[in-house]
Amino acid sequence: MITHSLQGSNKCKCDQRIRYFLSISIEKVEPDRMADRYQNNIYHQSDGDSYGTYGEGDGGGHDGYGYQAEYPPQEEDAASDVTEGHDEEDQMYEGEYQGIPHPDEVKAAQRAARAKSRAGGALTELQELSEQYEDIMEDCGHGKFQWTLFMVLGLALMADGVECFVVAFVLPSAEKDLCLSNAEKGMLGLIVFLSMMVGAFIWGGLADKVGRRRCLVVALAINCVFVFLSSFAQSYGFFLFFRLLSGIGIGGTVPIVYSYFSEFLQMDKRGEHLSWLCMFWMIGAIFASFTAWGIIPRYGWGFSMGTDFQFHSWRLFVLVAALPAIASLIGLTFMPESPRFLLENAKHDEAWMILKQVHDTNWRAKGQPEKVFTVTHIKAPKTAEDELIEIQSATGTAVQRWAVRSLTLCKLVFKNVASLFSAELRFATLFMAIIWFCMAFSYYGLSVWFPDMIKHLQYEEYESRVKVFHKEKVENFHFNFSLENQVHKEGEYIHDKFIKIELKSVKFEDSLFEDCLFEDIKSTDTMFENCTIRNTVFTNTDLKEKFIDCKMENNTFEDDKLGCHLDTGEENDVLIYLVSFLGSLAVLPGNIISALFMEKIGRVKIIGGSMLISAGCTFFLFLSFSQSAIIALQCLFCGVSVAAWNGIEVVTVELYPASKRATAFGVLNALCKLAAVLGSSIFASFVGITKAIPILLSFVALVCGGMVALKLPDTREKILQ
């Protein structure tokens, strides 16, 4: 009896569903009437309201449910020509019988709840704006506009990835071309992260007050201009200065790009598509590796103008590396400002036009140009900060207005930074700062440690093959072959000729050279220590600075090679580019997996899990006794850690309100660059000394960051504030 009643109940429910879908089919033949009903049910303007309200019905049990119309009662056997030849069950959502709600029903219920909360009047103006904005983005849909913006902003993010690798790739050639000492090489590598740290802080703060698109355009323009100038700089000072300014420009891309793109995404698309955007950083690293590999070793790809101006292939690579930034800059000229930023700054009309553009672009691309953008008014609160700027900018001369406006802007930026530590954001900022710092310290530290360890192993292998010659005596001999990786102790060389040869990693100790000739000599890592040199002629050599504690008697130096000269031999080992390429390519699986599961698993679990797994991977570094093992472990570490990076960037966007989003991202990204400087410096100092300290430091940092990440709130279903 109970079974029979349950079956009857299920049959009744099924009949009701079939009649509902039939009623929808019948309504399809009356498009004009349905269009009117759509307009009347979705947006109703109430008297005195300054913004469009969503889903306020006429009663009847459907208040606040903006997309469900009141369908007229249908006959039980009603049918339509439209449904003939179709099985009604095929049109039903396949999860219906399993009790799984249709995604559209879930979304409609969420909108109804938001409309009900707005109607209750318990929300602040900014909260009302946030919920209304989410509804509008759902109406606009996700389509052609977002994918176009995705490509443009992706190129900007790609430019940031390229910038991190440019100096590392050009350094082996630049150190010879610009005569760089070890201290100068270290400063050149350091200046990249320091300048990007400054740029992230400046542009992130300005983007919340001046505009996302405007700041990004200026930042990329600065980067392009000074990259161009750095490629032609002939001195170390100018090259360092131009790279400093180009880094300040490109440092603003990461904070602005994620804030900018997130404000064109609806809630259920945000995590996945921000994660796909992260992939462009990896593409930038691959682009840098490939172009460096293809250009820098081609020493003939250059030109010179006398002895004062040299343009070698590594300078051409610097120019080519700016192409992503140039392409993004061109694309941004066709992109609008973030409408959410405009609404936060009381620019209602501009925001409405942009939202209409997004709506129309998407629906035309989907083949539904008849869809109308029905929003007429949007909540746009007026802030005291805007009024202050308006009042001050209307007084005094042009210079005074500029000075007052700039000073006011600086005050507002620093006030915004200070607000990140207010009561409601204090813990979020503290937790995110710990996570960013720990992840960057470990990631960038190991990113430097991996290639340095490979070079160290290469050097150890090279030294193991050194040839030692003791007390050799050579007279009247013509050296017409190069000497490499040799040590000569207490030798005697009398009436010998060294002509048109290369001395590479050669050391003469306590030796005697008498009546010898050195002509057209090129040397690398070569020295004469505690030697006696008599009646010897040096013509067109670079040996004059290679004598240490030597006794020089009646020697002649003619046509010395002054300054430094680019070595076209093996300074640019293919392994340098290969290691970077493989490390960047290993990021691809982690990027794809994190993007696909960002919404399903959640940001917090992805961050915490990836950091803890990465910490476990670091212990395998104790087994890294060969170059191939280090490369494999680098790929494993990069592939896992990228998922954590994606989650961190998504959560950073979602935790902060629109008025502080870019500022918070800029501050945290600046902290990230500071951690990168510390990590790379500390880890590099232990290369060749011990592995234990770098491994333990990275393990502790990743475990701490992962544990803190698990304390973060889940932001998957959080509307952008």
Side-chain angles (χ1 to χ4, degrees):
M1 191 71 178
I2 295 174
T3 303
H4 181 270
S5 64
L6 288 174
Q7 290 176 346
S9 174
N10 289 335
K11 182 178 184 303
C12 181
K13 291 181 179 178
C14 183
D15 291 342
Q16 290 175 353
R17 293 191 186 104
I18 292 174
R19 285 198 300 273
Y20 173 72
F21 280 100
L22 284 174
S23 67
I24 294 176
S25 300
I26 293 171
E27 293 290 350
K28 287 181 179 178
V29 301
E30 301 176 297
D32 295 337
R33 184 154 58 91
M34 286 301 296
D36 293 340
R37 182 171 295 157
Y38 176 83
Q39 297 284 351
N40 292 331
N41 276 276
I42 295 180
Y43 300 107
H44 292 275
Q45 298 297 323
S46 59
D47 295 338
D49 205 355
S50 62
Y51 57 95
T53 56
Y54 289 76
E56 295 180 4
D58 298 330
H62 295 293
D63 291 344
Y65 191 69
Y67 286 98
Q68 181 171 326
E70 296 285 352
Y71 294 102
Q74 301 290 333
E75 296 293 334
E76 184 171 347
D77 296 329
S80 169
D81 293 339
V82 179
T83 63
E84 289 184 4
H86 293 273
D87 185 358
E88 289 85 2
E89 292 181 0
D90 293 339
Q91 300 179 20
M92 297 178 68
Y93 172 52
E94 60 182 7
E96 188 80 19
Y97 291 110
Q98 303 172 16
I100 302 174
H102 194 282
D104 290 342
E105 295 178 2
V106 174
K107 189 178 293 186
Q110 291 173 342
R111 295 185 65 152
R114 292 198 293 269
K116 186 175 181 180
S117 64
R118 285 199 301 273
L123 302 178
T124 64
E125 283 188 340
L126 290 178
Q127 288 174 329
E128 289 183 35
L129 171 61
S130 300
E131 296 196 357
Q132 186 185 11
Y133 190 83
E134 177 65 26
D135 290 345
I136 296 173
M137 292 312 304
E138 288 180 0
D139 292 339
C140 292
H142 189 93
K144 180 181 178 181
F145 181 89
Q146 280 85 359
W147 286 113
T148 305
L149 184 63
F150 174 82
M151 293 302 299
V152 172
L153 297 181
L155 288 169
L157 201 58
M158 182 177 168
D160 181 88
V162 171
E163 184 76 13
C164 293
F165 290 89
V166 167
V167 170
F169 288 143
V170 305
L171 206 52
S173 297
E175 68 172 312
K176 297 293 183 181
D177 202 11
L178 300 175
C179 303
L180 303 182
S181 63
N182 288 333
E184 289 172 334
K185 286 191 296 181
M187 177 56 69
L188 192 55
L190 189 66
I191 203 67
V192 174
F193 290 107
L194 290 177
S195 60
M196 293 176 76
M197 178 180 71
V198 175
F201 182 85
I202 293 174
W203 296 113
L206 289 176
D208 279 333
K209 297 302 174 186
V210 178
R212 281 84 159 105
R213 176 186 172 276
R214 184 177 176 185
C215 285
L216 187 56
V217 167
V218 176
L220 288 174
I222 290 174
N223 174 254
C224 293
V225 169
F226 288 104
V227 163
F228 177 81
L229 293 176
S230 70
S231 67
F232 291 94
Q234 296 297 302
S235 68
Y236 168 74
F238 278 112
F239 186 75
L240 184 71
F241 177 69
F242 292 144
R243 294 310 303 184
L244 170 67
L245 295 179
S246 70
I248 290 175
I250 203 66
T253 55
V254 172
I256 299 175
V257 161
Y258 287 103
S259 302
Y260 189 14
F261 190 53
S262 67
E263 291 168 355
F264 285 96
L265 297 174
Q266 57 200 68
M267 183 172 60
D268 59 341
K269 302 286 185 182
R270 195 168 58 228
E272 178 183 350
H273 288 273
L274 285 174
S275 299
W276 289 125
L277 187 65
C278 297
M279 194 179 296
F280 277 93
W281 200 94
M282 173 207 70
I283 297 173
I286 294 176
F287 173 80
S289 303
F290 260 120
T291 52
W293 194 350
I295 295 175
I296 294 179
R298 286 9 179 219
Y299 298 100
W301 294 7
F303 62 91
S304 61
M305 299 173 63
T307 58
D308 295 331
F309 185 86
Q310 304 286 331
F311 191 91
H312 295 294
S313 56
W314 68 269
R315 298 178 181 274
L316 178 61
F317 165 69
V318 172
L319 282 179
V320 173
L323 291 179
I326 295 172
S328 179
L329 187 60
I330 294 172
L332 281 170
T333 60
F334 301 97
M335 293 291 107
E337 180 57 84
S338 164
R340 182 58 189 272
F341 166 79
L342 295 173
L343 290 172
E344 292 284 337
N345 289 271
K347 298 180 180 178
H348 171 276
D349 294 340
E350 295 177 44
W352 186 90
M353 291 296 295
I354 293 169
L355 289 169
K356 184 177 186 303
Q357 175 189 348
V358 175
H359 177 277
D360 294 347
T361 301
N362 287 342
W363 289 110
R364 277 199 300 267
K366 293 177 182 179
Q368 301 183 51
E370 70 279 1
K371 274 191 171 289
V372 179
F373 186 62
T374 55
V375 178
T376 56
H377 291 86
I378 309 172
K379 189 73 175 177
K382 185 75 171 178
T383 65
E385 294 173 357
D386 299 314
E387 295 172 355
L388 178 62
I389 294 177
E390 289 169 6
I391 293 171
Q392 293 178 339
S393 64
T395 61
T397 64
V399 175
Q400 290 174 332
R401 288 198 301 270
W402 176 84
V404 170
R405 191 181 298 114
S406 300
L407 181 60
T408 303
L409 186 59
C410 291
K411 290 180 180 178
L412 293 177
V413 168
F414 282 104
K415 181 180 177 182
N416 222 20
V417 172
S419 68
L420 300 179
F421 301 94
S422 61
E424 62 271 16
L425 296 175
R426 184 182 304 140
F427 288 106
T429 302
L430 177 61
F431 285 0
M432 292 307 301
I434 294 173
I435 295 168
W436 273 90
F437 186 90
C438 291
M439 188 67 204
F441 179 82
S442 179
Y443 179 84
Y444 287 104
L446 289 176
S447 295
V448 171
W449 187 82
F450 283 127
D452 282 357
M453 275 298 298
I454 292 174
K455 291 178 183 178
H456 176 70
L457 293 176
Q458 286 179 323
Y459 179 74
E460 285 186 336
E461 183 182 356
Y462 186 75
E463 277 201 327
S464 67
R465 301 196 305 265
V466 67
K467 296 179 181 179
V468 180
F469 300 87
H470 191 67
K471 291 186 177 181
E472 62 177 351
K473 186 173 182 179
V474 182
E475 293 187 48
N476 299 311
F477 187 79
H478 184 186
F479 288 87
N480 57 0
F481 52 88
S482 295
L483 307 179
E484 181 178 357
N485 199 20
Q486 299 177 4
V487 176
H488 300 264
K489 298 181 178 181
E490 300 181 12
E492 294 183 9
Y493 306 90
I494 301 173
H495 298 294
D496 294 329
K497 295 181 180 179
F498 301 80
I499 300 177
K500 293 184 179 180
I501 65 172
E502 180 179 359
L503 304 178
K504 186 173 183 180
S505 298
V506 179
K507 185 177 183 180
F508 295 95
E509 295 181 3
D510 303 311
S511 298
L512 170 66
F513 293 86
E514 187 170 354
D515 296 319
C516 293
L517 172 65
F518 289 83
E519 184 176 341
D520 295 328
I521 302 298
K522 185 178 182 181
S523 65
T524 304
D525 296 328
T526 296
M527 66 178 65
F528 297 78
E529 186 174 348
N530 201 27
C531 296
T532 300
I533 304 172
R534 300 188 188 124
N535 303 319
T536 298
V537 178
F538 297 87
T539 303
N540 192 29
T541 71
D542 58 0
L543 298 176
K544 195 170 184 178
E545 306 297 330
K546 306 295 178 72
F547 301 106
I548 302 174
D549 298 328
C550 292
K551 187 177 180 181
M552 312 292 289
E553 298 178 1
N554 197 29
N555 300 308
T556 303
F557 290 88
E558 298 176 350
D559 300 326
D560 292 329
K561 294 180 179 178
L562 301 177
C564 301
H565 302 274
L566 186 63
D567 190 348
T568 59
E570 299 180 2
E571 262 72 15
N572 295 284
D573 194 339
V574 169
L575 193 62
I576 297 174
Y577 312 118
L578 182 61
V579 169
S580 174
F581 171 74
L582 292 177
S584 303
L585 194 62
V587 169
L588 181 61
N591 253 317
I592 294 175
I593 293 172
S594 63
L596 294 177
F597 291 94
M598 188 65 71
E599 297 293 346
K600 297 177 181 178
I601 297 178
R603 296 86 158 107
V604 174
K605 292 180 180 178
I606 285 181
I607 299 171
S610 299
M611 292 186 75
L612 294 176
I613 294 173
S614 298
C617 292
T618 58
F619 272 97
F620 288 104
L621 295 175
F622 283 112
L623 306 176
S624 57
F625 298 108
S626 65
Q627 297 179 36
S628 57
I630 291 179
I631 293 174
L633 289 170
Q634 179 190 18
C635 293
L636 177 63
F637 177 78
C638 292
V640 175
S641 60
V642 70
W645 276 122
N646 291 359
I648 289 170
E649 284 154 350
V650 172
V651 168
T652 303
V653 165
E654 295 174 335
L655 279 178
Y656 294 93
S659 60
K660 300 173 178 61
R661 184 169 297 127
T663 300
F665 215 122
V667 170
L668 294 171
N669 195 248
L671 183 65
C672 165
K673 297 301 186 290
L674 177 62
V677 171
L678 295 175
S680 57
S681 302
I682 293 172
F683 282 45
S685 64
F686 289 101
V687 172
I689 299 176
T690 178
K691 292 189 218 175
I693 294 179
I695 292 173
L696 291 176
L697 285 175
S698 60
F699 175 81
V700 171
L702 288 169
V703 169
C704 290
M707 296 303 292
V708 172
L710 295 176
K711 300 294 184 181
L712 291 173
D714 190 357
T715 56
R716 272 183 291 180
E717 297 183 359
K718 179 181 178 182
I719 295 175
L720 283 184
Q721 297 300 312

